[in-house]
PDB file of all heavy atoms in Angstrom:
ATOM      1  N   LEU A  52      -0.937 -13.540   9.689  1.00 90.00           N
ATOM      2  CA  LEU A  52      -2.147 -13.614   8.877  1.00 90.00           C
ATOM      3  C   LEU A  52      -1.857 -14.218   7.501  1.00 90.00           C
ATOM      4  O   LEU A  52      -2.636 -15.025   6.995  1.00 90.00           O
ATOM      5  CB  LEU A  52      -2.795 -12.236   8.737  1.00 90.00           C
ATOM      6  CG  LEU A  52      -3.332 -11.603  10.028  1.00 90.00           C
ATOM      7  CD1 LEU A  52      -3.942 -10.239   9.733  1.00 90.00           C
ATOM      8  CD2 LEU A  52      -4.331 -12.506  10.725  1.00 90.00           C
ATOM      9  N   LYS A  55      -1.448 -17.968   7.853  1.00 88.00           N
ATOM     10  CA  LYS A  55      -2.745 -18.626   8.011  1.00 88.00           C
ATOM     11  C   LYS A  55      -3.463 -18.745   6.674  1.00 88.00           C
ATOM     12  O   LYS A  55      -4.042 -19.787   6.366  1.00 88.00           O
ATOM     13  CB  LYS A  55      -3.622 -17.868   9.012  1.00 88.00           C
ATOM     14  CG  LYS A  55      -3.243 -18.091  10.459  1.00 88.00           C
ATOM     15  CD  LYS A  55      -4.226 -17.408  11.370  1.00 88.00           C
ATOM     16  CE  LYS A  55      -4.874 -18.482  12.216  1.00 88.00           C
ATOM     17  NZ  LYS A  55      -5.799 -17.938  13.192  1.00 88.00           N
ATOM     18  N   LEU A  62      -9.383 -16.610   8.836  1.00 84.00           N
ATOM     19  CA  LEU A  62      -8.922 -15.536   9.711  1.00 84.00           C
ATOM     20  C   LEU A  62     -10.071 -15.150  10.620  1.00 84.00           C
ATOM     21  O   LEU A  62     -11.179 -14.901  10.155  1.00 84.00           O
ATOM     22  CB  LEU A  62      -8.470 -14.320   8.891  1.00 84.00           C
ATOM     23  CG  LEU A  62      -7.336 -14.552   7.898  1.00 84.00           C
ATOM     24  CD1 LEU A  62      -7.022 -13.263   7.157  1.00 84.00           C
ATOM     25  CD2 LEU A  62      -6.106 -15.091   8.585  1.00 84.00           C
ATOM     26  N   GLY A  63      -9.791 -15.082  11.901  1.00 86.00           N
ATOM     27  CA  GLY A  63     -10.811 -14.692  12.858  1.00 86.00           C
ATOM     28  C   GLY A  63     -11.092 -13.209  12.799  1.00 86.00           C
ATOM     29  O   GLY A  63     -10.215 -12.412  12.443  1.00 86.00           O
ATOM     30  N   ASP A  64     -12.319 -12.853  13.142  1.00 87.00           N
ATOM     31  CA  ASP A  64     -12.695 -11.438  13.144  1.00 87.00           C
ATOM     32  C   ASP A  64     -11.806 -10.631  14.068  1.00 87.00           C
ATOM     33  O   ASP A  64     -11.439  -9.496  13.758  1.00 87.00           O
ATOM     34  CB  ASP A  64     -14.159 -11.273  13.558  1.00 87.00           C
ATOM     35  CG  ASP A  64     -15.123 -11.772  12.491  1.00 87.00           C
ATOM     36  OD1 ASP A  64     -14.713 -11.882  11.315  1.00 87.00           O
ATOM     37  OD2 ASP A  64     -16.284 -12.052  12.837  1.00 87.00           O
ATOM     38  N   ASP A  65     -11.441 -11.221  15.216  1.00 89.00           N
ATOM     39  CA  ASP A  65     -10.586 -10.507  16.164  1.00 89.00           C
ATOM     40  C   ASP A  65      -9.190 -10.271  15.594  1.00 89.00           C
ATOM     41  O   ASP A  65      -8.593  -9.213  15.798  1.00 89.00           O
ATOM     42  CB  ASP A  65     -10.514 -11.248  17.500  1.00 89.00           C
ATOM     43  CG  ASP A  65     -10.008 -12.677  17.376  1.00 89.00           C
ATOM     44  OD1 ASP A  65     -10.274 -13.321  16.335  1.00 89.00           O
ATOM     45  OD2 ASP A  65      -9.343 -13.159  18.318  1.00 89.00           O
ATOM     46  N   GLU A  66      -8.682 -11.233  14.830  1.00 86.00           N
ATOM     47  CA  GLU A  66      -7.365 -11.066  14.210  1.00 86.00           C
ATOM     48  C   GLU A  66      -7.397  -9.956  13.157  1.00 86.00           C
ATOM     49  O   GLU A  66      -6.483  -9.133  13.096  1.00 86.00           O
ATOM     50  CB  GLU A  66      -6.928 -12.367  13.534  1.00 86.00           C
ATOM     51  CG  GLU A  66      -6.624 -13.489  14.490  1.00 86.00           C
ATOM     52  CD  GLU A  66      -6.366 -14.787  13.766  1.00 86.00           C
ATOM     53  OE1 GLU A  66      -7.174 -15.157  12.892  1.00 86.00           O
ATOM     54  OE2 GLU A  66      -5.337 -15.428  14.078  1.00 86.00           O
ATOM     55  N   VAL A  67      -8.439  -9.969  12.351  1.00 86.00           N
ATOM     56  CA  VAL A  67      -8.570  -8.958  11.308  1.00 86.00           C
ATOM     57  C   VAL A  67      -8.735  -7.581  11.937  1.00 86.00           C
ATOM     58  O   VAL A  67      -8.116  -6.605  11.501  1.00 86.00           O
ATOM     59  CB  VAL A  67      -9.755  -9.294  10.367  1.00 86.00           C
ATOM     60  CG1 VAL A  67     -10.013  -8.162   9.392  1.00 86.00           C
ATOM     61  CG2 VAL A  67      -9.489 -10.600   9.628  1.00 86.00           C
ATOM     62  N   GLN A  68      -9.539  -7.508  12.989  1.00 90.00           N
ATOM     63  CA  GLN A  68      -9.758  -6.238  13.680  1.00 90.00           C
ATOM     64  C   GLN A  68      -8.452  -5.717  14.281  1.00 90.00           C
ATOM     65  O   GLN A  68      -8.131  -4.529  14.158  1.00 90.00           O
ATOM     66  CB  GLN A  68     -10.817  -6.405  14.777  1.00 90.00           C
ATOM     67  CG  GLN A  68     -11.092  -5.148  15.572  1.00 90.00           C
ATOM     68  CD  GLN A  68     -11.721  -4.039  14.737  1.00 90.00           C
ATOM     69  OE1 GLN A  68     -12.425  -4.316  13.775  1.00 90.00           O
ATOM     70  NE2 GLN A  68     -11.458  -2.800  15.091  1.00 90.00           N
ATOM     71  N   LYS A  69      -7.690  -6.615  14.903  1.00 89.00           N
ATOM     72  CA  LYS A  69      -6.410  -6.225  15.500  1.00 89.00           C
ATOM     73  C   LYS A  69      -5.451  -5.712  14.422  1.00 89.00           C
ATOM     74  O   LYS A  69      -4.765  -4.710  14.619  1.00 89.00           O
ATOM     75  CB  LYS A  69      -5.786  -7.410  16.238  1.00 89.00           C
ATOM     76  CG  LYS A  69      -4.506  -7.070  16.961  1.00 89.00           C
ATOM     77  CD  LYS A  69      -3.969  -8.250  17.742  1.00 89.00           C
ATOM     78  CE  LYS A  69      -2.666  -7.890  18.421  1.00 89.00           C
ATOM     79  NZ  LYS A  69      -2.061  -9.003  19.138  1.00 89.00           N
ATOM     80  N   ALA A  70      -5.449  -6.378  13.269  1.00 89.00           N
ATOM     81  CA  ALA A  70      -4.582  -5.957  12.170  1.00 89.00           C
ATOM     82  C   ALA A  70      -4.988  -4.576  11.661  1.00 89.00           C
ATOM     83  O   ALA A  70      -4.131  -3.732  11.398  1.00 89.00           O
ATOM     84  CB  ALA A  70      -4.628  -6.979  11.044  1.00 89.00           C
TER      85      ALA A  70
END
Side-chain angles (χ1 to χ4, degrees):
L52 295 180
K55 283 185 119 177
L62 301 179
D64 289 340
D65 57 328
E66 292 173 311
V67 173
Q68 179 66 29
K69 184 177 178 183

